[in-house]
Amino acid sequence: AFRSPFQIAIDSGAMVSVFPPWYASDYPILPLRGEQVHYQLNGPGGEIIPCQGRRMIHLELIPGLLATFEVLVCDVKFPLLALKDLTSKGMSVHFGEEDVGCIEHQRSAELIPFEFSNGLWILTPHTLIPYEISTYILKPFLEGISMIQATLIK
């Protein structure tokens, strides 16, 4: 089903996104926080899935459209993105009848395609942004957003 190491399965029934340790391995594994500490993740057969922590990963879904996802780093075979993590970012997800689906983002006129292959809906991001680049490029931007939000709250 996966033709690229950066492809991600979209799961409409998952409550959280779970990615294997090898995906975005240059990103640090952060400690679990809040409710995450109490999660008990179960595989399709009911087996408990060990969790190592979480990562904040940056993907360029299509050229020019960046998205940040908080994912749990777990002992799973492939990355699984919870549908709710897409919809919570203002995206509409459409599962097509011809083994092709698309994601619409409120800030982009372009559709983000994904496909059905071997029983899984597969998203192929344009780029997984390397951690070093993401901190260099995105950190000042994200800090600027925080400063703007803080100003608006006052």
Side-chain angles (χ1 to χ4, degrees):
F2 294 91
R3 294 187 310 271
S4 155
F6 300 114
Q7 290 183 311
I8 301 167
I10 299 173
D11 189 342
S12 61
M15 294 304 296
V16 295
S17 296
V18 293
F19 280 46
W22 55 261
Y23 196 99
S25 61
D26 58 327
Y27 282 75
I29 297 178
L30 306 170
L32 298 173
R33 62 181 181 174
E35 290 181 17
Q36 295 170 337
V37 175
H38 304 292
Y39 287 169
Q40 180 176 325
L41 305 175
N42 297 91
E47 69 280 3
I48 293 176
I49 300 173
C51 184
Q52 299 173 18
R54 63 187 173 88
R55 282 190 172 125
M56 300 297 292
I57 64 169
H58 305 288
L59 299 171
E60 186 174 21
L61 298 176
I62 55 175
L65 182 61
L66 302 176
T68 300
F69 295 99
E70 180 178 52
V71 301
L72 299 184
V73 179
C74 301
D75 293 339
V76 293
K77 293 180 182 175
F78 54 84
L80 203 119
L81 186 62
L83 178 66
K84 74 174 198 66
D85 286 346
L86 291 167
T87 57
S88 70
K89 295 187 179 307
M91 299 181 201
S92 300
V93 181
H94 306 281
F95 295 94
E97 296 177 16
E98 301 294 323
D99 293 344
V100 176
C102 67
I103 301 168
E104 290 181 87
H105 193 284
Q106 61 192 12
R107 287 185 237 143
S108 174
E110 292 188 58
L111 299 177
I112 304 161
F114 59 92
E115 64 182 323
F116 191 74
S117 177
N118 295 326
L120 297 169
W121 287 101
I122 306 292
L123 170 66
T124 305
H126 177 67
T127 304
L128 166 63
I129 298 172
Y131 177 71
E132 187 174 316
I133 292 172
S134 73
T135 56
Y136 177 75
I137 294 172
L138 297 176
K139 188 174 181 181
F141 171 75
L142 295 173
E143 286 174 352
I145 294 293
S146 297
M147 289 170 60
I148 290 168
Q149 288 174 339
T151 302
L152 292 175
I153 292 171
K154 289 180 183 179

